[in-house]
């Protein structure tokens, strides 16, 4: 059995910089037409110069493959409307992190008072720049996303013309919130469709499955699966593929992030086939994102075949993928 996917898009991707960028950019560029690139470098991407030079480094690292990096700016509450206007053509969205909630987010926002954020959000709304949000409070780790839903609702209500993307949703509460506001959208990762907290910490601790937001309960995964498998029109695939060097994962104080980019399409095909929903995969991995973000990525057809694929243990001796050393049921036959 074979399927063809056209212009796969990964609407939440960490590409990092320097050696890691050189390792991971070609892997994404091989099978994806484009990706929304997260700005949580050290220091975060907050200026036009940083955006432009980071995009150039990504394009160079992708080594001539047809791949569009859609750039994001790290949200700051002190951006002026003039500054936003000057970077509008360089970005597809702005990413908002609560301060300290995840990897390299220390410079994020401290509170969600509209009085503080309103000026920037108003300007984004007028300029039609979508807002992507890492929606977690500083509460108990399993409740952080659920506790953040009222903040999403406040933002959605106060800025009805602003597209707000709830990034990497992990809960039934977030899936339900999607349908309450027209301007709320979401991305779902590969790993949150596969795993629950049990897979991370139910037996021996699995550092390569540790990420933020942490994987939740079976009923949460079921709600995410339902939304993805039916290709809910407001839901897009965003891998949140977040590579860290092996020694940063297999360590006390394990870094958060699951590296999935090179195996994402194979594992999605496996999942959608198992649930008899292969016909919806195209919408989930591309069409919904094209429509929501209004993008027109470079043409790319990826042919996947149902035949065993042994996932590498490690890439370039540096970064360990999800399903390392395991066999998936689908492989990439060709991409181009
Ligand atoms: C991401 C990273 O490592 O940059 N980590 C993660 O666990 N997902 C940051 C993020 O998206 O939260
Ligand atoms: Zn992320």
């Amino acid at each position: 059995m074979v399927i063809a996917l056209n212009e796969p898009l990964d609407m939440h991707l960490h590409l990092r910089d320097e050696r890691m960028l050189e390792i991971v950019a070609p892997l994404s560029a091989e099978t994806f037409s484009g990706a929304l690139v997260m700005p949580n470098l050290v220091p975060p991407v907050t200026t036009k110069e940083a955006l432009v030079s980071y995009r150039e480094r990504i394009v160079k690292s992708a080594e001539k493959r047809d791949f569009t990096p859609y750039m994001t700016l790290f949200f700051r509450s002190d951006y002026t409307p003039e500054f936003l206007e000057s970077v509008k053509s360089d970005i597809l969205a702005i990413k908002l992190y609560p301060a300290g909630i995840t990897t390299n987010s220390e410079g994020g926002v401290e509170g969600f008072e509209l009085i503080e954020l309103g000026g920037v959000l108003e300007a984004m709304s007028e300029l039609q720049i979508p807002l992507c949000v890492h929606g977690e409070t500083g509460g108990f780790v399993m409740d952080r996303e659920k506790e953040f839903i009222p903040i999403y609702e406040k933002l959605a209500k106060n800025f009805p013309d602003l597209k707000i993307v709830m990034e990497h949703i992990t809960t039934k509460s977030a899936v339900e919130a999607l349908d309450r506001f027209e301007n709320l959208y979401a991305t779902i990762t590969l790993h949150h469709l596969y795993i629950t907290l049990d897979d991370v910490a139910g037996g021996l601790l699995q550092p390569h499955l540790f990420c933020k937001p942490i994987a939740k309960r079976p009923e949460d995964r079921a709600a995410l699966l339902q939304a993805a498998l039916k290709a809910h029109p407001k839901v897009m695939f965003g891998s949140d593929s977040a590579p860290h060097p092996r020694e940063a994962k297999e360590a006390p104080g394990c870094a958060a992030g699951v590296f999935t980019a090179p195996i994402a399409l194979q594992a999605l095909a496996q999942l959608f086939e198992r649930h008899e929903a292969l016909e919806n995969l195209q919408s989930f991995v591309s069409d919904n994102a094209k429509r929501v973000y209004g993008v027109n990525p470079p043409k790319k057809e990826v042919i996947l075949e149902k035949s065993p694929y042994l996932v590498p243990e490690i890439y370039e001796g540096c970064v360990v993928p999800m399903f390392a050393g395991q066999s998936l049921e689908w492989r990439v036959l060709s991409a181009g």
Side-chain angles (χ1 to χ4, degrees):
M1 192 186 342
V2 293
I3 57 160
L5 294 175
N6 293 302
E7 293 89 62
L9 291 170
D10 180 350
M11 300 314 285
H12 184 131
L13 177 65
H14 298 271
L15 285 174
R16 314 301 192 204
D17 217 339
E18 300 176 348
R19 175 157 184 252
M20 188 62 94
L21 172 64
E22 285 168 12
I23 296 172
V24 303
L27 298 171
S28 278
E30 187 65 29
T31 51
F32 287 91
S33 251
L36 190 68
V37 180
M38 292 298 122
N40 61 332
L41 302 183
V42 186
V45 179
T46 56
T47 64
K48 190 175 175 79
E49 295 70 40
L51 273 170
V52 170
S53 70
Y54 187 32
R55 183 175 47 217
E56 281 169 6
R57 296 197 296 283
I58 295 168
V59 169
K60 189 161 168 247
S61 304
E63 294 168 350
K64 299 205 173 66
R65 293 173 180 84
D66 267 342
F67 175 77
T68 302
Y70 297 106
M71 306 305 288
T72 60
L73 189 71
F74 190 98
F75 185 98
R76 285 272 164 82
S77 53
D78 58 1
Y79 289 144
T80 62
E82 295 73 34
F83 169 70
L84 294 176
E85 196 158 4
S86 75
V87 293
K88 182 179 158 51
S89 60
D90 298 305
I91 59 176
L92 192 61
I94 295 182
K95 175 71 185 286
L96 189 158
Y97 293 90
I101 201 68
T102 187
T103 310
N104 305 336
S105 62
E106 291 70 23
V109 307
E110 297 282 352
F112 283 85
E113 297 311 319
L114 295 183
I115 198 97
E116 196 193 330
L117 308 180
V120 177
L121 297 179
E122 195 56 58
M124 288 173 64
S125 179
E126 269 167 33
L127 291 165
Q128 294 285 293
I129 303 172
L131 174 74
C132 298
V133 183
H134 183 118
E136 290 195 286
T137 66
F140 178 65
V141 69
M142 288 293 278
D143 297 334
R144 287 176 189 176
E145 183 173 291
K146 191 168 183 213
E147 288 174 2
F148 199 91
I149 303 293
I151 301 177
Y152 277 128
E153 299 195 337
K154 180 168 78 172
L155 296 175
K157 206 159 151 179
N158 281 278
F159 301 95
D161 299 326
L162 180 66
K163 275 190 178 161
I164 300 171
V165 185
M166 303 187 286
E167 293 297 330
H168 43 49
I169 58 172
T170 58
T171 57
K172 191 164 179 260
S173 313
V175 174
E176 289 166 356
L178 260 183
D179 294 323
R180 287 204 292 275
F181 290 87
E182 213 174 297
N183 54 334
L184 274 186
Y185 300 82
T187 56
I188 298 182
T189 73
L190 171 74
H191 48 284
H192 291 115
L193 292 173
Y194 266 94
I195 65 171
T196 67
L197 184 59
D198 245 11
D199 298 288
V200 186
L204 293 179
L205 187 66
Q206 301 300 316
H208 296 291
L209 297 180
F210 172 64
C211 66
K212 300 291 176 65
I214 194 99
K216 303 292 189 312
R217 307 180 63 85
E219 54 270 34
D220 293 308
R221 180 182 54 182
L224 299 173
L225 255 177
Q226 242 201 4
L229 293 171
K230 73 173 187 209
H232 186 299
K234 294 169 85 184
V235 167
M236 303 166 280
F237 174 62
S239 70
D240 194 16
S241 178
H244 293 275
R246 181 182 187 166
E247 58 276 15
K249 294 291 290 174
E250 298 177 5
C254 163
V258 184
F259 178 51
T260 53
I263 54 91
L265 294 182
Q266 301 89 321
L268 283 173
Q270 172 175 295
L271 190 69
F272 276 62
E273 195 220 351
R274 285 180 181 173
H275 290 273
E276 295 175 9
L278 267 180
E279 69 278 10
N280 292 337
L281 187 52
Q282 175 66 36
S283 299
F284 180 59
V285 296
S286 182
D287 300 353
N288 288 354
K290 279 187 193 169
R291 194 182 56 252
V292 171
Y293 278 103
V295 290
N296 186 17
K299 291 266 165 271
K300 186 172 283 185
E301 186 182 54
V302 179
I303 310 284
L304 291 137
E305 178 190 41
K306 190 171 184 196
S307 95
Y309 169 60
L310 183 63
V311 177
E313 293 280 359
I314 191 161
Y315 287 86
E316 304 288 331
C318 175
V319 57
V320 177
M322 188 179 179
F323 299 115
Q326 297 173 42
S327 187
L328 292 174
E329 290 160 18
W330 287 76
R331 70 183 182 107
V332 174
L333 199 59
S334 66

PDB file of all heavy atoms in Angstrom, residues 236-256:
ATOM      1  N   MET A 236      -3.921  21.725  13.281  1.00  0.00           N
ATOM      2  CA  MET A 236      -2.809  21.512  12.341  1.00  0.00           C
ATOM      3  C   MET A 236      -1.753  20.639  12.995  1.00  0.00           C
ATOM      4  O   MET A 236      -1.597  20.663  14.226  1.00  0.00           O
ATOM      5  CB  MET A 236      -2.151  22.863  11.994  1.00  0.00           C
ATOM      6  CG  MET A 236      -3.117  23.868  11.408  1.00  0.00           C
ATOM      7  SD  MET A 236      -2.429  25.562  11.384  1.00  0.00           S
ATOM      8  CE  MET A 236      -2.690  26.091  13.065  1.00  0.00           C
ATOM      9  N   PHE A 237      -0.999  19.945  12.150  1.00  0.00           N
ATOM     10  CA  PHE A 237       0.128  19.196  12.689  1.00  0.00           C
ATOM     11  C   PHE A 237       1.271  20.159  13.011  1.00  0.00           C
ATOM     12  O   PHE A 237       1.656  20.985  12.180  1.00  0.00           O
ATOM     13  CB  PHE A 237       0.615  18.137  11.693  1.00  0.00           C
ATOM     14  CG  PHE A 237       1.858  17.439  12.159  1.00  0.00           C
ATOM     15  CD1 PHE A 237       1.837  16.703  13.337  1.00  0.00           C
ATOM     16  CD2 PHE A 237       3.055  17.543  11.466  1.00  0.00           C
ATOM     17  CE1 PHE A 237       2.987  16.074  13.808  1.00  0.00           C
ATOM     18  CE2 PHE A 237       4.204  16.911  11.919  1.00  0.00           C
ATOM     19  CZ  PHE A 237       4.167  16.183  13.096  1.00  0.00           C
ATOM     20  N   GLY A 238       1.792  20.050  14.217  1.00  0.00           N
ATOM     21  CA  GLY A 238       2.997  20.789  14.608  1.00  0.00           C
ATOM     22  C   GLY A 238       3.792  19.831  15.464  1.00  0.00           C
ATOM     23  O   GLY A 238       3.354  19.477  16.560  1.00  0.00           O
ATOM     24  N   SER A 239       4.929  19.379  14.949  1.00  0.00           N
ATOM     25  CA  SER A 239       5.617  18.273  15.635  1.00  0.00           C
ATOM     26  C   SER A 239       6.124  18.665  17.015  1.00  0.00           C
ATOM     27  O   SER A 239       6.220  17.829  17.899  1.00  0.00           O
ATOM     28  CB  SER A 239       6.804  17.781  14.797  1.00  0.00           C
ATOM     29  OG  SER A 239       7.831  18.761  14.790  1.00  0.00           O
ATOM     30  N   ASP A 240       6.457  19.967  17.202  1.00  0.00           N
ATOM     31  CA  ASP A 240       7.220  20.373  18.395  1.00  0.00           C
ATOM     32  C   ASP A 240       8.472  19.508  18.526  1.00  0.00           C
ATOM     33  O   ASP A 240       8.926  19.222  19.632  1.00  0.00           O
ATOM     34  CB  ASP A 240       6.370  20.305  19.666  1.00  0.00           C
ATOM     35  CG  ASP A 240       7.015  21.043  20.836  1.00  0.00           C
ATOM     36  OD1 ASP A 240       7.941  21.841  20.595  1.00  0.00           O
ATOM     37  OD2 ASP A 240       6.593  20.811  21.980  1.00  0.00           O
ATOM     38  N   SER A 241       8.979  19.065  17.392  1.00  0.00           N
ATOM     39  CA  SER A 241      10.232  18.312  17.405  1.00  0.00           C
ATOM     40  C   SER A 241      11.285  19.221  18.038  1.00  0.00           C
ATOM     41  O   SER A 241      11.535  20.319  17.551  1.00  0.00           O
ATOM     42  CB  SER A 241      10.603  17.956  15.961  1.00  0.00           C
ATOM     43  OG  SER A 241      11.831  17.272  15.932  1.00  0.00           O
ATOM     44  N   ALA A 242      11.850  18.774  19.142  1.00  0.00           N
ATOM     45  CA  ALA A 242      12.706  19.645  19.967  1.00  0.00           C
ATOM     46  C   ALA A 242      13.990  18.910  20.327  1.00  0.00           C
ATOM     47  O   ALA A 242      14.095  18.316  21.395  1.00  0.00           O
ATOM     48  CB  ALA A 242      11.943  20.080  21.217  1.00  0.00           C
ATOM     49  N   PRO A 243      14.968  18.937  19.402  1.00  0.00           N
ATOM     50  CA  PRO A 243      16.186  18.165  19.627  1.00  0.00           C
ATOM     51  C   PRO A 243      17.070  18.749  20.717  1.00  0.00           C
ATOM     52  O   PRO A 243      17.239  19.957  20.805  1.00  0.00           O
ATOM     53  CB  PRO A 243      16.890  18.252  18.259  1.00  0.00           C
ATOM     54  CG  PRO A 243      16.402  19.519  17.651  1.00  0.00           C
ATOM     55  CD  PRO A 243      14.984  19.677  18.122  1.00  0.00           C
ATOM     56  N   HIS A 244      17.592  17.867  21.536  1.00  0.00           N
ATOM     57  CA  HIS A 244      18.627  18.218  22.519  1.00  0.00           C
ATOM     58  C   HIS A 244      19.725  17.172  22.355  1.00  0.00           C
ATOM     59  O   HIS A 244      19.434  16.014  22.044  1.00  0.00           O
ATOM     60  CB  HIS A 244      18.074  18.129  23.948  1.00  0.00           C
ATOM     61  CG  HIS A 244      17.036  19.155  24.273  1.00  0.00           C
ATOM     62  ND1 HIS A 244      17.359  20.431  24.698  1.00  0.00           N
ATOM     63  CD2 HIS A 244      15.681  19.111  24.239  1.00  0.00           C
ATOM     64  CE1 HIS A 244      16.241  21.117  24.918  1.00  0.00           C
ATOM     65  NE2 HIS A 244      15.202  20.339  24.641  1.00  0.00           N
ATOM     66  N   PRO A 245      20.982  17.555  22.598  1.00  0.00           N
ATOM     67  CA  PRO A 245      22.039  16.542  22.519  1.00  0.00           C
ATOM     68  C   PRO A 245      21.759  15.405  23.505  1.00  0.00           C
ATOM     69  O   PRO A 245      21.182  15.635  24.574  1.00  0.00           O
ATOM     70  CB  PRO A 245      23.305  17.309  22.938  1.00  0.00           C
ATOM     71  CG  PRO A 245      22.962  18.756  22.832  1.00  0.00           C
ATOM     72  CD  PRO A 245      21.480  18.871  22.997  1.00  0.00           C
ATOM     73  N   ARG A 246      22.169  14.199  23.128  1.00  0.00           N
ATOM     74  CA  ARG A 246      21.891  13.028  23.951  1.00  0.00           C
ATOM     75  C   ARG A 246      22.298  13.222  25.415  1.00  0.00           C
ATOM     76  O   ARG A 246      21.557  12.850  26.327  1.00  0.00           O
ATOM     77  CB  ARG A 246      22.646  11.838  23.356  1.00  0.00           C
ATOM     78  CG  ARG A 246      22.423  10.573  24.115  1.00  0.00           C
ATOM     79  CD  ARG A 246      23.247   9.467  23.487  1.00  0.00           C
ATOM     80  NE  ARG A 246      22.913   8.217  24.123  1.00  0.00           N
ATOM     81  CZ  ARG A 246      23.258   7.045  23.633  1.00  0.00           C
ATOM     82  NH1 ARG A 246      23.923   6.955  22.503  1.00  0.00           N
ATOM     83  NH2 ARG A 246      22.923   5.958  24.273  1.00  0.00           N
ATOM     84  N   GLU A 247      23.453  13.872  25.613  1.00  0.00           N
ATOM     85  CA  GLU A 247      23.910  14.015  27.000  1.00  0.00           C
ATOM     86  C   GLU A 247      23.042  14.978  27.815  1.00  0.00           C
ATOM     87  O   GLU A 247      23.033  14.928  29.033  1.00  0.00           O
ATOM     88  CB  GLU A 247      25.397  14.386  27.070  1.00  0.00           C
ATOM     89  CG  GLU A 247      25.826  15.653  26.375  1.00  0.00           C
ATOM     90  CD  GLU A 247      26.096  15.478  24.878  1.00  0.00           C
ATOM     91  OE1 GLU A 247      25.699  14.442  24.281  1.00  0.00           O
ATOM     92  OE2 GLU A 247      26.686  16.401  24.288  1.00  0.00           O
ATOM     93  N   ALA A 248      22.275  15.844  27.132  1.00  0.00           N
ATOM     94  CA  ALA A 248      21.370  16.736  27.866  1.00  0.00           C
ATOM     95  C   ALA A 248      20.059  16.026  28.209  1.00  0.00           C
ATOM     96  O   ALA A 248      19.326  16.440  29.113  1.00  0.00           O
ATOM     97  CB  ALA A 248      21.083  17.986  27.044  1.00  0.00           C
ATOM     98  N   LYS A 249      19.750  14.939  27.465  1.00  0.00           N
ATOM     99  CA  LYS A 249      18.524  14.178  27.730  1.00  0.00           C
ATOM    100  C   LYS A 249      18.779  13.065  28.747  1.00  0.00           C
ATOM    101  O   LYS A 249      17.961  12.820  29.635  1.00  0.00           O
ATOM    102  CB  LYS A 249      17.994  13.541  26.432  1.00  0.00           C
ATOM    103  CG  LYS A 249      17.502  14.516  25.373  1.00  0.00           C
ATOM    104  CD  LYS A 249      16.213  15.229  25.776  1.00  0.00           C
ATOM    105  CE  LYS A 249      14.995  14.328  25.794  1.00  0.00           C
ATOM    106  NZ  LYS A 249      13.815  15.062  26.333  1.00  0.00           N
ATOM    107  N   GLU A 250      19.918  12.384  28.582  1.00  0.00           N
ATOM    108  CA  GLU A 250      20.199  11.245  29.461  1.00  0.00           C
ATOM    109  C   GLU A 250      21.032  11.754  30.624  1.00  0.00           C
ATOM    110  O   GLU A 250      22.201  11.407  30.778  1.00  0.00           O
ATOM    111  CB  GLU A 250      20.907  10.150  28.661  1.00  0.00           C
ATOM    112  CG  GLU A 250      20.029   9.632  27.524  1.00  0.00           C
ATOM    113  CD  GLU A 250      20.722   8.598  26.649  1.00  0.00           C
ATOM    114  OE1 GLU A 250      21.855   8.180  26.951  1.00  0.00           O
ATOM    115  OE2 GLU A 250      20.105   8.202  25.635  1.00  0.00           O
ATOM    116  N   ALA A 251      20.405  12.620  31.424  1.00  0.00           N
ATOM    117  CA  ALA A 251      21.134  13.318  32.477  1.00  0.00           C
ATOM    118  C   ALA A 251      20.196  13.661  33.615  1.00  0.00           C
ATOM    119  O   ALA A 251      18.991  13.773  33.401  1.00  0.00           O
ATOM    120  CB  ALA A 251      21.698  14.615  31.904  1.00  0.00           C
ATOM    121  N   PRO A 252      20.767  13.850  34.825  1.00  0.00           N
ATOM    122  CA  PRO A 252      19.930  14.433  35.877  1.00  0.00           C
ATOM    123  C   PRO A 252      19.569  15.831  35.402  1.00  0.00           C
ATOM    124  O   PRO A 252      20.414  16.525  34.831  1.00  0.00           O
ATOM    125  CB  PRO A 252      20.850  14.483  37.104  1.00  0.00           C
ATOM    126  CG  PRO A 252      22.203  14.093  36.663  1.00  0.00           C
ATOM    127  CD  PRO A 252      22.160  13.653  35.244  1.00  0.00           C
ATOM    128  N   GLY A 253      18.316  16.238  35.584  1.00  0.00           N
ATOM    129  CA  GLY A 253      17.908  17.526  35.032  1.00  0.00           C
ATOM    130  C   GLY A 253      17.737  17.408  33.530  1.00  0.00           C
ATOM    131  O   GLY A 253      18.151  18.292  32.770  1.00  0.00           O
ATOM    132  N   CYS A 254      17.126  16.301  33.095  1.00  0.00           N
ATOM    133  CA  CYS A 254      16.865  16.028  31.673  1.00  0.00           C
ATOM    134  C   CYS A 254      16.143  17.204  30.997  1.00  0.00           C
ATOM    135  O   CYS A 254      15.133  17.700  31.501  1.00  0.00           O
ATOM    136  CB  CYS A 254      15.988  14.773  31.601  1.00  0.00           C
ATOM    137  SG  CYS A 254      15.145  14.492  30.055  1.00  0.00           S
ATOM    138  N   ALA A 255      16.675  17.658  29.848  1.00  0.00           N
ATOM    139  CA  ALA A 255      16.034  18.736  29.091  1.00  0.00           C
ATOM    140  C   ALA A 255      14.705  18.249  28.516  1.00  0.00           C
ATOM    141  O   ALA A 255      14.569  17.075  28.152  1.00  0.00           O
ATOM    142  CB  ALA A 255      16.957  19.188  27.959  1.00  0.00           C
ATOM    143  N   ALA A 256      13.733  19.175  28.413  1.00  0.00           N
ATOM    144  CA  ALA A 256      12.409  18.826  27.875  1.00  0.00           C
ATOM    145  C   ALA A 256      12.409  18.925  26.364  1.00  0.00           C
ATOM    146  O   ALA A 256      12.857  19.925  25.807  1.00  0.00           O
ATOM    147  CB  ALA A 256      11.356  19.753  28.466  1.00  0.00           C
TER     148      ALA A 256
END
